[in-house]
Amino acid sequence: ARSPSAAARNGPQARGRMTDADHALPPDLEEALRTAEELRLVTRGRRSGRHHTISLWFAYEPGLVWLRTDLRRGSPPDWYRNLLEDPRCGIELGDLRIEGRMEAVADSEAALKHAVSLLRAKYGAEWISDWYVDFGRQPVKIRVPAPAKSATS
């Protein structure tokens, strides 16, 4: 008997390029990302290997979730150090869950200003002040599936 080809062994990704439709964000998840006050970020502990979950404020734009962390206080928070070790994460919104992956930002200062502007639009300037862009704060960009394109686009 012939052994299966690499494409058959490795699943659909090996058979050809994945399309946007293969990884489209379902409408209920997109709505949750647009409207939820907080998300639960699930990372893998860099030492223990166990799941580590924390609730965080966030901003969403199609295909990206933005977080902000503070690197000024000694050591960064565990969730951020976990993402540096393993950029894969889960994002939970109520009973819904989506997988994400932290990506590096090319221009940290510009990315932080962008993230803060999204946070300010979501939560209001009374909650997201100018100190959100102080030196030592770090934007965290997490790639998630983009929303499904509508039939009219």
Side-chain angles (χ1 to χ4, degrees):
R2 290 178 49 194
S3 67
S5 68
R9 283 191 308 270
N10 297 326
Q13 290 94 338
R15 290 189 194 106
R17 181 173 149 74
M18 298 296 282
T19 65
D20 288 342
D22 293 324
H23 293 292
L25 188 64
D28 58 340
L29 266 169
E30 182 183 16
E31 179 66 19
L33 284 166
R34 290 191 183 285
T35 60
E37 286 292 312
E38 292 182 334
L39 60 72
R40 287 186 315 275
L41 180 70
V42 182
T43 59
R44 181 164 305 281
R46 62 198 175 286
R47 288 189 223 143
S48 69
R50 289 187 234 145
H51 288 155
H52 178 259
T53 304
I54 186 167
S55 293
L56 298 167
W57 279 11
F58 71 101
Y60 169 74
E61 62 183 336
L64 294 173
V65 167
W66 288 95
L67 307 170
R68 184 206 53 90
T69 192
D70 189 346
L71 302 181
R72 299 173 307 150
R73 298 184 181 140
S75 65
D78 280 338
W79 64 266
Y80 182 69
R81 290 184 288 168
N82 291 344
L83 285 173
L84 291 174
E85 183 73 26
D86 181 353
R88 296 171 299 170
C89 62
I91 294 172
E92 297 176 347
L93 303 143
D95 293 337
L96 302 174
R97 181 181 168 97
I98 188 168
E99 300 300 315
R101 183 177 192 88
M102 185 176 79
E103 293 183 351
V105 292
D107 181 344
S108 188
E109 185 177 338
L112 181 60
K113 287 179 181 176
H114 177 67
V116 168
S117 73
L118 293 171
L119 288 163
R120 206 173 262 149
K122 180 176 183 174
Y123 296 105
E126 65 275 9
W127 292 102
I128 309 297
S129 300
D130 290 340
W131 59 265
Y132 265 64
V133 293
D134 286 348
F135 177 76
R137 308 212 186 256
Q138 180 68 33
V140 179
K141 178 170 81 169
I142 298 180
R143 175 75 53 194
V144 296
K149 293 183 175 146
S150 68
T152 59
S153 51

